[in-house]
Amino acid sequence: MASTIATLATTTWKIDPAHSAAEFKVKHMMISNVKGTFQGLEGALTEDAADPASSSIQATIDVNTLSTGDPKRDGHLKSADFFDLENFPTMTFKSTSVKPKGEGEYSVTGELTLHGVTKPVTFTVEGPSAPNKDLWGNTRIGLSATTRINRKEFGLTWNAALETGGILVGEDVAITLDVQFIKG
């Protein structure tokens, strides 16, 4: 009976790639930020409403969907100098810990694999939202998650020195995920 109750409290939500995106932001020339997005997110959230700490999430991002609004820069970022799309076509995240932080906030730690390197990262998560029905009868929820990584720790070490001092690309990268899920 107890396992039946636990099963009923667990809901699987699939990422809706059409309504989800990952965004990154990094300093350029030490003066301004450059942003980029990835589409094509896939994965699922297994939500345990009775025990949120037992929830888990896993996601995969297609590196080829990278867009910064500049095709030449996108090509360079997809090259071996940065993401090395040919050898590492995806990045993945798999949670190892979900901790409630307050009403509608969680700390989600997991393994991020990027450029063939796996490191632990912790996302601050807002949500999930209350479930809502779409026009076709699907139940949906959404959440936002943020973290910061040092790109060099993942093997993304390319850079260039500036004539006036400093570097072309910052090491600290802010990551924001806006994800919508469909029940099922």
Side-chain angles (χ1 to χ4, degrees):
M1 179 81 169
S3 65
T4 304
I5 293 170
T7 302
L8 295 175
T10 302
T11 305
T12 300
W13 301 90
K14 292 184 179 183
I15 293 175
D16 177 359
H19 296 100
S20 301
E23 179 181 85
F24 67 90
K25 178 173 70 171
V26 66
K27 273 290 189 216
H28 180 254
M29 295 182 60
M30 301 175 56
I31 58 173
S32 65
N33 291 313
V34 168
K35 291 182 179 181
T37 59
F38 292 94
Q39 303 296 317
L41 280 69
E42 295 180 358
L45 164 65
T46 303
E47 182 185 32
D48 188 330
D51 180 17
S54 295
S55 298
S56 64
I57 189 165
Q58 58 84 23
T60 301
I61 297 175
D62 180 353
V63 174
N64 197 41
T65 66
L66 168 76
S67 175
T68 63
D70 181 328
K72 186 175 177 183
R73 178 173 46 221
D74 294 351
H76 188 208
L77 289 171
K78 292 176 187 179
S79 78
D81 284 345
F82 286 97
F83 288 103
D84 195 0
L85 174 66
E86 188 173 319
N87 291 304
F88 307 106
T90 61
M91 59 182 106
T92 61
F93 178 80
K94 183 174 172 116
S95 68
T96 56
S97 167
V98 176
K99 295 179 183 173
K101 287 179 58 177
E103 186 64 33
E105 286 190 22
Y106 295 88
S107 178
V108 178
T109 300
E111 299 292 326
L112 175 64
T113 301
L114 166 62
H115 196 250
V117 177
T118 302
K119 296 269 185 196
V121 299
T122 299
F123 283 89
T124 299
V125 177
E126 292 180 18
S129 66
N132 242 324
K133 291 266 187 194
D134 66 19
L135 298 174
W136 301 273
N138 300 304
T139 303
R140 295 175 176 266
I141 59 171
L143 60 80
S144 293
T146 58
T147 195
R148 294 182 99 69
I149 63 167
N150 181 314
R151 67 183 179 88
K152 285 188 169 186
E153 292 178 359
F154 289 89
L156 301 170
T157 59
W158 184 92
N159 222 332
L162 298 174
E163 184 179 307
T164 56
I167 54 175
L168 185 63
V169 182
E171 294 178 16
D172 188 44
V173 181
I175 299 170
T176 302
L177 304 172
D178 288 305
V179 185
Q180 194 172 115
F181 298 87
I182 301 173
K183 189 175 185 177

